[in-house]
Amino acid sequence: MKSPKRFLIFYLSIGSGHLSAANAIKKAIREYGSEYRVFCEDLFTPAIRDSMLPEFLSLSSTLFFPGVYDTAWQSGSMMPGYELLQVMPVLRNRVMEILLHRNPDMVICTHSLPCSIMASLQSDHPDLPPVAAVATDFMVHPYWPIKKVKGFVVACDEARERLIERGGSGDRIRVLGIPIDPAAENLSIRERSDDIKRDTRFSINVLILAGGKRLAPYVATWPKTKNLMDMAMQLPAGRVHWNVVCGIPSAFSRLLTEFMKGREDVTLYEYVTDFMELLSRQDFVITKPGGLILAEAMALGIPAILVSQGSGQEAANSNIILSHRCGVLAESEKEVLAYLQDVLDYPYIAADAKRAALTFGKPSAARQAAAWFLQGMP
């Protein structure tokens, strides 16, 4: 195969991780040369993307039906319904229209649904370009296709082993990490050389992620965030600085702004455009177990305090992070404060967690994935 010049990256606008990974790959490929053309396309039409459907799908996994979702994610029990989605004319036609419009040499998918549709279409259209799959969580579920996928990028060895168990070929799987903004590489170098400027007025700096481009995935964390900020007054004054990212403006961000008036130990942010820079100045991040935020944190050596085990892919993310000792699970506000008090009393706890995060993190994931794609794989 000749070296590809035109790349089409399919994502799905559920949450923000799939698009963020697509943009990271796009940026990394373009850094290799101006001759490369990269197009990111949402499988959802603009009408679907701007409707409440993506928010509902996000909420269904975290609030409405977490148990059902977890079982389906682990076992593949919803495969018949998933296969029906793959053959829906509206989705297949959209994929074909975008392929004709963009005329790519390679298709990269950061979500399993467009990847499955591409694999299905290749059976009927063998002249379609090769497909690469990029997992944006630390484990892969049964809905990722194996056949007709030329290469997989996964986050860790455990995910690679899972794909091989399902029949994937080991020489087509690369453990490169979840693609994040290539800027993470320079920030990681600064972190490893201890060249990051932190707020020295406080003993530790903690970032709380309570929102992003989309709010639905974070709704379940809002009561905990407010309660934690109230209970944080129990910690010794001047020891912890809380940086709360609320995402796009919402009733919650307005409530928290009013609630935090006069608090010198709290800084509130709405949507942050230089999030990686802000994250790099922290000692811990408090978050739900989303794949992208955990990949960003690990790349910068920022241990995670997980406020829930999660379900489906989030439960799998939690298990991986905890097994690599890159974070802790603290499902109540009291547990969060107790852990941070231990960190204040015994600094080696933070040092050990930071070392584990730096060891596990993969700040060059996007660049290495781009290099592999430019070679044409595998």
Side-chain angles (χ1 to χ4, degrees), residues 148-218:
K148 304 295 184 180
V149 177
K150 190 171 182 180
F152 287 88
V153 171
V154 296
C156 57
D157 291 332
E158 292 91 335
R160 181 178 185 273
E161 292 168 5
R162 177 69 60 84
L163 280 176
I164 292 174
E165 288 173 1
R166 292 184 51 224
S169 174
D171 61 356
R172 294 177 180 268
I173 306 169
R174 293 290 185 274
V175 181
L176 304 179
I178 297 172
I180 57 176
D181 191 327
E185 287 198 75
N186 288 333
L187 289 171
S188 178
I189 292 172
R190 288 167 53 191
E191 185 69 42
R192 293 168 192 271
S193 62
D194 201 25
D195 191 31
I196 296 289
K197 294 182 179 179
R198 289 181 168 83
D199 190 339
T200 57
R201 296 175 301 163
F202 299 87
S203 300
I204 56 176
N205 294 277
V206 178
L207 186 144
I208 301 177
L209 189 59
K213 291 180 181 178
R214 291 187 176 273
L215 298 177
Y218 301 94

Side-chain angles (χ1 to χ4, degrees), residues 56-69:
F56 173 78
L57 292 174
S58 293
L59 284 170
S60 67
S61 64
T62 56
L63 285 181
F64 302 150
F65 316 109
V68 173
Y69 178 78

